[in-house]
């Protein structure tokens, strides 16, 4: 198992450009999440999904869009990049029930700079 | 309402002294609880987890945490701090009465003085 894979690891965008952050998991997890982490801060939830075809807003969704066409993939789209979106982005996945194997798996992060 | 609270945003200890990082949660059901560590400019590494088995959980690098249902707490401890323990620590909860959502505490920055 590869776990949660995020691409790219680093990206520099110009203001107004768009991009998609990719997130894929191979553990058949129902729940997937996108977080952003600003310097010296905790993680804030952008969007989450409880299964294919179902997405919902988190704490800071403005400026982002997501889709969940398959269980494996949960891409995050930035349509018009702004300097305020400079951050490190983490994707995560979990199973929706308790158990010995319950764990939150995280991608390695995408460091995005908007200039 | 805050579902998981890390009671200290910063903790400073001397090398060789004990570490205590505090975490409280609010839930009507027994949650799954995790501690993650994040070193500067790095990703999130799982230290330990509680998933309804033993209430005293041992993790990597000498860390432990005890689940106390009566106190709704999951505090992280280590008997003797090492310089390499300096990092950000996150208490993370899956609350099974709140849509089974993964919820982060605000983080605690641990500083270790020589």
């Amino acid at each position: 198992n590869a776990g949660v894979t995020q691409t790219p690891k680093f990206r520099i965008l110009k203001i107004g450009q768009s991009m998609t952050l990719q997130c894929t998991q191979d553990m058949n997890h129902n729940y997937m999440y996108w977080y952003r982490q600003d310097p010296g801060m905790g993680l804030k939830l952008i969007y989450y999904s409880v299964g294919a075809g179902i997405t919902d807003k988190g704490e800071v969704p403005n400026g982002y869009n997501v889709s969940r066409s398959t269980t494996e993939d949960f891409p995050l789209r930035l349509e018009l990049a702004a300097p305020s979106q400079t951050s490190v982005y983490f994707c995560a996945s979990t199973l929706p029930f308790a158990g010995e194997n319950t764990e939150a798996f995280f991608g390695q992060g995408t460091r995005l700079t908007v200039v | 309402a805050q579902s998981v609270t890390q009671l200290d945003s910063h903790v400073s200890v001397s090398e060789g002294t004990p570490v205590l990082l505090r975490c409280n949660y609010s839930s009507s059901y027994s949650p799954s609880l995790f501690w993650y560590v994040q070193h500067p400019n790095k990703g999130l590494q799982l230290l330990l987890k509680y998933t309804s088995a033993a209430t005293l959980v041992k993790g990597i690098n000498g860390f432990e945490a005890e689940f106390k249902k009566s106190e709704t707490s999951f505090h992280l401890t280590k008997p003797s701090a090492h310089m390499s323990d300096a990092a950000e620590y996150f208490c993370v909860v899956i609350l099974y009465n709140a849509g089974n959502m993964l919820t982060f505490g605000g983080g605690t920055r641990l500083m270790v003085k020589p």
Side-chain angles (χ1 to χ4, degrees):
Chain A
N1 285 351
V4 178
T5 303
Q6 278 183 246
T7 56
K9 288 187 170 56
F10 303 93
R11 185 73 185 269
I12 298 175
L13 278 183
K14 293 184 178 179
I15 294 171
Q17 286 185 321
S18 62
M19 76 165 293
T20 299
L21 282 67
Q22 301 289 348
C23 178
T24 298
Q25 53 89 12
D26 60 358
M27 298 168 285
N28 205 32
H29 284 176
N30 304 76
Y31 283 46
M32 295 186 74
Y33 314 78
W34 274 107
Y35 294 89
R36 60 175 286 173
Q37 185 179 31
D38 297 330
M41 306 293 285
L43 280 77
K44 294 184 178 179
L45 182 64
I46 306 171
Y47 270 96
Y48 67 99
S49 168
V50 301
I54 306 169
T55 63
D56 210 343
K57 295 177 181 179
E59 184 183 357
V60 289
N62 291 345
Y64 306 95
N65 278 301
V66 293
S67 60
R68 185 90 181 273
S69 57
T70 66
T71 299
E72 293 79 18
D73 300 307
F74 190 41
L76 178 72
R77 179 85 177 159
L78 283 71
E79 291 293 351
L80 290 170
S84 61
Q85 293 177 306
T86 294
S87 191
V88 180
Y89 293 81
F90 288 99
C91 179
S93 73
T94 63
L95 288 167
F97 51 82
E100 281 298 304
N101 295 322
T102 297
E103 185 176 330
F105 290 84
F106 291 89
Q108 286 301 300
T110 297
R111 187 174 297 275
L112 175 67
T113 303
V114 182
V115 297
Chain B
Q2 186 77 11
S3 300
V4 55
T5 303
Q6 290 182 242
L7 297 166
D8 307 291
S9 59
H10 294 81
V11 170
S12 181
V13 301
S14 297
E15 191 174 21
T17 64
V19 176
L20 170 63
L21 306 183
R22 299 181 293 167
C23 174
N24 284 94
Y25 68 93
S26 55
S27 175
S28 301
Y29 301 90
S30 288
S32 292
L33 295 149
F34 313 86
W35 277 99
Y36 284 83
V37 61
Q38 186 182 34
H39 288 94
N41 299 313
K42 299 291 186 184
L44 292 151
Q45 180 183 19
L46 179 68
L47 276 178
L48 48 79
K49 65 178 180 179
Y50 166 77
T51 58
S52 74
T55 56
L56 181 62
V57 182
K58 293 185 185 299
I60 61 172
N61 300 334
F63 284 95
E64 290 184 351
E66 186 171 8
F67 173 67
K68 292 187 176 180
K69 188 173 182 178
S70 60
E71 299 176 11
T72 60
S73 69
F74 190 57
H75 301 334
L76 181 70
T77 60
K78 183 173 180 177
S80 176
H82 192 273
M83 294 297 290
S84 60
D85 295 329
E88 187 86 17
Y89 291 79
F90 293 99
C91 182
V92 182
V93 178
I94 297 179
L95 297 170
Y96 296 103
N97 64 329
N100 298 352
M101 286 295 298
L102 186 67
T103 304
F104 274 80
T108 298
R109 183 168 298 276
L110 176 65
M111 294 166 283
V112 182
K113 297 176 290 187

